[in-house]
């Protein structure tokens, strides 16, 4: 085990670790923290990287454990811990780490992801995924003034986990359904996972071929997850990967499916002492699951390890229908910022209104309509935005209209967002950026509730109920608001419910 002890420099702030740690960033002299990526225990992306406002970074490919106390960071890792120094600020330290350890590929997901809204059927339909209901949902999207986009058919379209065939009793004509969705202007993605339902024909077949993960005792591993107990594909075995790809390729060929929502694959579903073909760690299995998506341009991930710089769509983990800063709307900006500084530029801030289905069900008869609108506005100037619960069904007409306006704002800004996505594919630069990234050493180290969209727009979403005015300390230079007014220094700006505060940078 390698160890690295780093006393923090005066005024130093560190960022990274994993997406869900975004609300705990930055790490400063005042921080007390114990965390580990051995393995990544979070339900979101991780890259074994920390980056400093003073131009330093640390990286260790297999992950590390971290302790912060008394102004000292101590890292322990199973292999070399790379320390980079002398880069001056957060931006240049990050770009140096990116170039050295997870260089971008020069490619990005299809531009549709950055232009069109995504529509996920999960919260709207839950486990009632049927051909009729999916077509009705898509038709209602268009009838209510929203543009066609990328439609993700979520869990329970299939017969069983591992049996990747449509349930014929509720999908009588899946090819006809997909053809109709295409005619309406939608791309179609299907939910899939690496789990295999136990005591099924496919489980027995894959087990006999040695394609499932075995536990330390040599028995086929059966792992608990959010929908029961299942075996898990051993993707370190090339035969297991080939089998799974053959299932996905058949769905594309037979039904015209455009791509896949690759759910699960979290490192905590594996064990470092699992017996696997490639003798890989839990993090290694999570990384292999993510890299499977590179074969399919239309992809989406929630769990990922060590894949910074890759053309993979990365969604935030399911958020509660609440204003909460740790697992509700209040986590969106901090976690998107953290996602970007790990090298995951192509991000999506969960389903509008919250994608954690138990929370949504609990609040379904008294949804917070203001929260729903502010959530849509927050997502509007992020790389992607994703709806599920239908605004026209769960909101008043006035509130639903404000969500429609947020979708139109995203489409108007799509050209600039795509320009940033192309930059990210070449340099690794985040699309959603810390103010400290763009304006180093101006005192913005702790600002994690606002973000820069590229270098041009300062975005200040309302993240607390009832707020109708915001006090902002602006970075140096002149800024223009939506009314053409020029602002400098510390200002108070109106933030009525129909408004997302966006300021354009004039001096750069």
């Amino acid at each position: 085990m390698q160890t690295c002890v780093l006393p923090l420099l005066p005024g130093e702030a560190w960022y990274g670790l994993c997406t869900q740690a975004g609300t705990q960033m930055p790490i400063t002299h005042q921080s007390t923290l114990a965390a580990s990526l051995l393995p990544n225990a979070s339900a979101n992306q991780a890259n074994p990287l920390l980056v400093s406002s003073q131009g330093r970074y640390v990286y260790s490919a297999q992950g590390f454990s971290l302790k912060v106390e008394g102004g000292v960071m101590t890292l322990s890792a199973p292999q070399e811990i790379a320390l980079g120094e002398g880069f001056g600020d957060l931006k240049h330290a990050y770009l140096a780490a990116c170039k050295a350890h997870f260089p971008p590929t020069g490619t990005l997901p299809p531009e549709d992801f950055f232009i069109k809204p995504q529509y996920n059927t999960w919260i709207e339909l839950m486990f009632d995924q049927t051909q009729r209901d999916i077509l009705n949902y898509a038709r209602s999207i268009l009838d209510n003034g929203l543009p066609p986009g990328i439609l993700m058919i979520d869990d329970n379209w299939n017969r069983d986990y591992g049996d990747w065939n449509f349930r014929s009793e509720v999908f009588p004509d899946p090819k006809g359904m997909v053809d109709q969705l295409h005619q309406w202007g939608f791309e179609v993605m299907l939910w899939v996972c690496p789990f295999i339902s136990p005591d099924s024909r496919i489980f027995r077949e894959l087990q006999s071929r040695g394609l499932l993960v075995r536990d330390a005792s040599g028995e086929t591993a059966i792992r608990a997850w959010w929908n029961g107990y299942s075996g898990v594909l051993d993707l370190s075995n090339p035969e297991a990967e080939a089998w799974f790809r053959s299932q996905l390729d058949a769905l594309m060929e037979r039904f015209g499916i455009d791509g896949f929502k690759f759910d699960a694959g979290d490192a905590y579903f594996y064990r470092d002492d699992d017996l696997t073909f490639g003798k890989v760690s839990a993090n290694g299995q999570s990384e292999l699951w993510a890299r499977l998506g590179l074969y399919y341009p239309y992809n989406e991930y929630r769990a990922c390890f060590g894949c910074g710089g890759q053309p993979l769509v990365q969604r935030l983990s399911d958020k509660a229908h609440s204003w909460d800063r740790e697992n509700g709307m209040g986590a969106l900006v901090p976690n998107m910022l953290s996602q970007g500084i790990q090298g995951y530029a192509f991000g999506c801030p969960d389903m509008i209104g919250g994608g954690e289905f138990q929370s949504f069900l609990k609040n379904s008869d008294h949804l917070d309509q203001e929260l729903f609108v502010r959530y849509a506005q927050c997502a509007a100037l992020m790389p992607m935005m994703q709806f599920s619960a239908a605004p026209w069904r769960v909101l008043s007409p006035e509130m639903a209209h404000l969500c429609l306006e947020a979708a139109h704002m995203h489409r108007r800004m799509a050209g600039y967002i795509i320009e940033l996505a192309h930059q990210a594919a070449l340099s690794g630069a985040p699309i959603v950026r810390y103010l400290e990234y763009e304006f180093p050493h101006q005192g913005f180290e702790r600002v994690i509730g606002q973000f820069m969209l590229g270098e041009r727009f300062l975005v200040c979403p309302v993240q607390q109920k009832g707020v109708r005015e915001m006090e902002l300390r602006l970075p140096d230079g002149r800024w223009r608001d939506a009314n053409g007014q020029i602002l400098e220094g510390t200002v108070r700006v109106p933030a009525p419910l129909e408004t997302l505060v966006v300021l354009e940078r004039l001096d750069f």
Side-chain angles (χ1 to χ4, degrees):
M1 190 72 74
Q2 306 292 312
T3 300
C4 177
V5 179
L6 282 177
L8 271 65
L9 301 174
E12 189 169 31
W14 289 81
Y15 309 82
L17 188 65
C18 66
T19 295
Q20 286 185 305
T23 57
Q24 302 173 59
M25 296 296 121
I27 296 168
T28 67
H29 278 267
Q30 289 73 45
S31 298
T32 300
L33 177 67
S36 179
L37 295 180
L38 295 171
N40 172 28
S42 76
N44 242 160
Q45 306 83 20
N47 205 16
L49 172 74
L50 286 165
V51 194
S52 156
S53 63
Q54 299 296 324
R56 303 197 287 174
Y57 75 81
V58 288
Y59 179 88
S60 189
Q62 292 184 12
F64 53 77
S65 60
L66 171 70
K67 182 179 180 181
V68 183
E69 190 172 22
V72 177
M73 289 201 324
T74 304
L75 294 90
S76 299
Q79 66 178 64
E80 179 186 3
I81 301 171
L83 171 63
E85 298 183 282
F87 300 106
D89 57 36
L90 179 64
K91 176 188 288 188
H92 292 96
Y94 166 76
L95 293 175
C98 180
K99 182 177 181 180
H101 301 289
F102 45 96
T105 65
T107 57
L108 65 157
E111 291 186 358
D112 285 344
F113 278 106
F114 307 100
I115 301 171
K116 303 176 180 180
Q118 300 164 22
Y119 304 97
N120 192 300
T121 62
W122 177 236
I123 293 296
E124 183 65 11
L125 300 180
M126 297 292 181
F127 283 104
D128 298 323
Q129 309 286 326
T130 71
Q131 179 171 325
R132 181 189 63 188
D133 290 341
I134 288 165
L135 287 173
N136 286 342
Y137 178 53
R139 186 65 256 174
S140 295
I141 289 168
L142 305 180
D143 290 345
N144 284 277
L146 284 161
I150 297 170
L151 183 69
M152 300 180 184
I153 299 174
D154 217 283
D155 189 8
N156 209 33
W157 62 269
N158 51 298
R159 292 179 184 166
D160 220 336
Y161 301 118
D163 185 352
W164 301 113
N165 290 284
F166 282 93
R167 294 187 294 129
S168 58
E169 67 274 19
V170 290
F171 289 92
D173 181 14
K175 178 67 164 60
M177 175 189 70
V178 175
D179 287 347
Q180 181 63 78
L181 292 169
H182 283 161
Q183 288 177 23
W184 287 340
F186 293 92
E187 286 84 23
V188 183
M189 297 172 63
L190 291 179
W191 180 97
V192 294
C193 66
F195 297 125
I196 308 295
S197 294
D199 197 26
S200 65
R201 177 187 60 80
I202 291 174
F203 178 92
R204 290 188 288 273
E205 174 195 340
L206 297 177
Q207 182 183 46
S208 69
R209 293 170 59 186
L211 304 187
L212 301 179
V213 170
R214 292 179 295 141
D215 63 25
S217 71
E219 294 296 320
T220 300
I222 302 295
R223 297 282 152 80
W225 60 295
W226 62 86
N227 199 28
Y229 294 81
S230 294
V232 193
L233 277 175
D234 177 10
L235 289 170
S236 73
N237 188 327
E239 287 189 34
E241 179 189 298
W243 175 84
F244 193 70
R245 285 184 59 195
S246 73
Q247 308 302 301
L248 304 187
D249 293 347
L251 289 164
M252 297 178 80
E253 182 177 346
R254 290 180 61 195
F255 305 116
I257 298 300
D258 297 292
F260 301 95
K261 171 181 174 175
F262 293 91
D263 205 358
D266 308 69
Y268 54 74
F269 292 130
Y270 308 92
R271 308 286 183 269
D272 285 341
D273 62 358
D274 281 340
L275 302 179
T276 61
F277 180 89
K279 299 180 175 60
V280 298
S281 65
N283 284 338
Q285 287 282 9
S286 185
E287 181 176 348
L288 288 168
W289 175 242
R291 290 188 179 276
L292 190 68
L294 297 174
Y295 294 106
Y296 304 95
Y298 282 90
N299 63 68
E300 188 205 70
Y301 282 89
R302 174 191 51 75
C304 189
F305 185 86
C307 288
Q310 299 297 320
L312 300 172
V313 173
Q314 304 283 352
R315 180 177 59 83
L316 294 189
S317 60
D318 300 1
K319 296 288 177 281
H321 180 77
S322 77
W323 298 89
D324 183 72
R325 190 179 173 191
E326 290 303 316
N327 193 39
M329 184 195 157
L332 295 185
V333 175
N335 287 358
M336 287 292 289
L337 287 166
S338 184
Q339 190 183 69
I341 208 67
Q342 296 172 68
Y344 299 117
F346 311 122
C348 181
D350 194 34
M351 303 169 203
I352 290 166
E356 204 290 297
F357 79 100
Q358 292 179 325
S359 170
F360 210 93
L361 284 176
K362 180 180 177 181
N363 292 282
S364 60
D365 60 348
H366 55 278
L367 290 178
D368 187 330
Q369 300 203 23
E370 180 181 350
L371 168 67
F372 208 104
V373 169
R374 292 302 197 189
Y375 206 121
Q377 291 172 347
C378 188
L381 292 188
M382 289 179 173
M384 306 170 193
M385 62 188 309
Q386 184 173 121
F387 289 94
S388 187
W392 59 89
R393 182 180 63 82
V394 300
L395 303 179
S396 69
E398 294 78 14
M399 295 295 201
H401 177 74
L402 294 179
C403 290
L404 177 62
E405 287 300 307
H408 289 327
M409 176 187 292
H410 181 81
R411 198 171 184 97
R412 289 193 301 270
M413 292 292 290
Y416 182 61
I417 293 172
I418 289 171
E419 178 185 325
L420 295 173
H422 280 280
Q423 292 176 16
L426 294 173
S427 70
I431 297 173
V432 171
R433 303 175 184 176
Y434 286 102
L435 268 68
E436 180 64 26
Y437 185 98
E438 281 298 321
F439 304 100
H441 314 311
Q442 292 188 30
F444 293 105
E445 297 91 345
R446 297 176 183 271
V447 176
I448 60 172
Q450 301 158 18
F451 65 93
M452 288 297 296
L453 178 62
E455 62 181 0
R456 185 175 166 191
F457 294 100
L458 172 58
V459 185
C460 309
V462 170
Q463 297 162 77
Q464 293 179 306
K465 189 175 180 66
V467 170
R468 297 295 184 267
E469 186 179 58
M470 306 177 75
E471 182 174 277
L472 305 174
R473 184 173 77 83
L474 303 178
D476 292 347
R478 297 177 305 137
W479 298 82
R480 180 168 56 207
D481 68 13
N483 297 317
Q485 183 178 356
I486 306 302
L487 305 175
E488 297 181 72
T490 298
V491 297
R492 296 195 71 84
V493 297
L497 186 55
E498 65 272 14
T499 298
L500 170 64
V501 175
V502 184
L503 304 179
E504 184 177 8
R505 183 180 181 185
L506 299 179
D507 301 319
F508 63 100

